[in-house]
Amino acid sequence: MPSKNITFDPDSGVPYGVNLTIYGGSNFDTTFNVTDNSNTAFDLTNYSGSAAISKSVAIGATLGITTAFTVGITSAAGGKINISLGSTSTRSLDQGRYMYDVIVAAGGTFYTLVNGNIMVVPAVSAAP
């Protein structure tokens, strides 16, 4: 399971950019290790998370949510949040470029934590 280190500054209003690759028909799973500006684990206690993929059709245009990730805060005090998709979900994604974002919320305030592009690479052959 790959993990990505990101810095979260809720005052900046700017998400951290991370590009990802999903292989069709495979389980997808990645963890974001979230730190604050002083390189200390960002405490995600009392936060919830959501994440989704949208197929990009042109610059500035999307078709809406294509699929949603399963999101889990695996270590609130340690600043770890995980996103995943099962093989059935990745198999149904068409090849190409998508956009995604991970949103966290606490106390009615929402922050886009991370976003970027996802390249979906199709499965070459079916699993045995």
Side-chain angles (χ1 to χ4, degrees), residues 54-110:
S54 179
K55 180 72 173 155
S56 177
V57 294
I59 295 174
T62 60
L63 295 173
I65 294 174
T66 302
T67 192
F69 288 100
T70 300
V71 178
I73 296 176
T74 56
S75 173
K80 296 186 185 303
I81 187 167
N82 178 271
I83 62 172
S84 62
L85 284 175
S87 60
T88 302
S89 294
T90 64
R91 188 175 296 112
S92 68
L93 294 171
D94 292 330
Q95 121 179 25
R97 185 174 65 92
Y98 291 74
M99 301 180 77
Y100 80 101
D101 59 12
V102 178
I103 297 171
V104 294
T109 303
F110 295 82

Side-chain angles (χ1 to χ4, degrees), residues 13 39 44 47 52 58 85 128:
N39 207 28
L44 291 167
Y47 279 81
L85 284 175

